[in-house]
Amino acid sequence: MADLLGPRVPGPARLRELLAGDELIVAPGAYDALSARLVEAAGFPAVYMTGFGTTASLLGRPDVGLLTMTEMVQAASRIRSVVEVPVIADADTGYGNALNVIRTVREYEAAGVAAIHLEDQVAPKRSGHLEGKRVVPAPTMVDRLRAAAAARSDPGFLLIARTDARAVEGLDAAIDRARRYRDAGADMLFVEALQSEAEIERVAETFRDVPLLFNWAEGGKTPPLGRDRLRSLGFRLVICPISTLLAATEAMRAVLARIARDGTPAEAVRELPGLTDFAELVGLPEVEEIGDRFGNG
């Protein structure tokens, strides 16, 4: 948990250190600052800011490109402000042409995240496991990545190139695009929505020279491989975008149904964390200590 007055741990440097290690990095999705605190408290080495979850949380809508760059960066900044572990953020398509991508990179860097992924979809984009996606020409995405690489003020800031071409142009085209994106300056590759273990194996074999991200998309098109299998294939980072969102949704449904049945939360709260425990989770003791130290006036 990040202290209000504590030093900021450099996210990009820490993420690169993790990637250079032997362990597979698992980064569950967070859709707001509270869920990010919970991810860190559970002991995970990194947090993934999910665009799907952020859209659902802020707008109550599906991930179809409704949020602006500013809204996404603000969400990333709030998450980064409460955790010490690196934050990997969804930056959608970069929100426009190469000029927009330059601003996107600089805004996410200023927010303190360690890495972003940029994708080759047409704006407005769609969630990677929904139907109806379209992709830009490969040279357009190459230009986005070249601009992104040039825009970094910290050379350690990681650029993850995501291609959604598997669903649109087929696996061969997706692999060809990934090669071009690697050559354009991407630090990590993310071939989205692979549809069989054989496809996953082929991507892993093709790109042994560059770190790979695996999207463990809950309920998506990609087979749910285990951690040991993914490690053996050579993947370095696994994101689980919406487990927290789905769990929170189901828990809220259950408690609301119980309140509706009983008329009050009297019985439901018996099974929930206490107010004191929750206040401690969100940092009340630190706030009180700062108030005692500097005054509350």
Side-chain angles (χ1 to χ4, degrees):
M1 182 185 301
D3 293 336
L4 287 172
L5 293 178
R8 297 292 294 272
V9 176
R14 178 56 183 150
L15 182 56
R16 285 187 180 271
E17 181 183 339
L18 289 167
L19 289 170
D22 296 327
E23 290 299 314
L24 180 66
I25 303 163
V26 178
Y31 51 88
D32 62 7
L34 177 59
S35 57
R37 275 189 185 269
L38 292 170
V39 170
E40 182 182 49
F44 290 95
V47 172
Y48 172 64
M49 190 196 88
T50 159
F52 188 104
T54 301
T55 304
S57 174
L58 290 179
L59 301 181
R61 298 293 183 185
D63 184 15
V64 290
L66 296 175
L67 289 181
T68 65
M69 182 269 286
T70 303
E71 290 169 312
M72 289 288 282
V73 169
Q74 288 172 344
S77 180
R78 288 190 291 270
I79 287 172
R80 179 66 182 94
S81 72
V82 297
V83 298
E84 289 293 340
V85 297
V87 175
I88 301 146
D90 185 347
D92 296 316
T93 64
Y95 309 101
N97 61 21
L99 285 172
N100 300 106
V101 169
I102 289 169
R103 181 173 179 231
T104 294
V105 168
R106 295 195 169 173
E107 293 291 337
Y108 273 98
E109 268 198 287
V113 305
I116 58 171
H117 65 72
L118 295 166
E119 62 201 58
D120 57 5
Q121 285 197 51
V122 171
K125 53 75 60 81
R126 297 178 70 83
S127 174
H129 292 258
L130 296 179
E131 300 295 335
K133 296 187 293 184
R134 295 181 296 144
V135 292
V136 298
T140 299
M141 181 62 175
V142 166
D143 287 342
R144 288 178 186 173
L145 290 168
R146 291 175 56 242
R152 289 184 285 198
S153 58
D154 179 354
F157 183 80
L158 277 91
L159 296 174
I160 304 169
R162 167 176 149 177
T163 179
D164 285 77
R166 166 62 187 89
V168 182
E169 301 173 345
L171 182 61
D172 288 342
I175 288 174
D176 179 66
R177 282 174 174 259
R179 284 195 186 98
R180 298 176 70 172
Y181 301 166
R182 173 199 60 195
D183 295 343
D187 301 297
M188 177 177 282
L189 298 177
F190 174 2
V191 183
E192 175 65 306
L194 298 172
Q195 297 183 18
S196 70
E197 188 165 349
E199 291 189 0
I200 297 168
E201 290 172 351
R202 185 175 168 201
V203 168
E205 182 63 33
T206 301
F207 296 109
R208 293 201 173 274
D209 62 332
V210 60
L212 294 175
L213 181 153
F214 184 87
N215 186 10
W216 210 105
E218 301 87 337
K221 298 177 181 296
T222 302
L225 300 190
R227 176 168 21 185
D228 290 344
R229 179 64 176 138
L230 291 169
R231 184 191 293 115
S232 71
L233 287 169
F235 286 89
R236 295 299 303 126
L237 174 64
V238 176
I239 58 173
C240 319
I242 58 170
S243 292
T244 56
L245 176 69
L246 297 177
T249 301
E250 185 57 28
M252 285 189 281
R253 278 178 173 164
V255 76
L256 291 169
R258 194 160 183 178
I259 294 170
R261 183 192 69 195
D262 298 343
T264 76
E267 291 300 317
V269 296
R270 297 180 192 276
E271 302 170 11
L272 300 176
L275 180 60
T276 300
D277 291 339
F278 186 82
E280 185 172 338
L281 169 68
V282 295
L284 181 59
E286 182 192 5
V287 171
E288 291 177 333
E289 189 277 329
I290 290 174
D292 291 340
R293 182 177 170 188
F294 297 110
N296 290 304

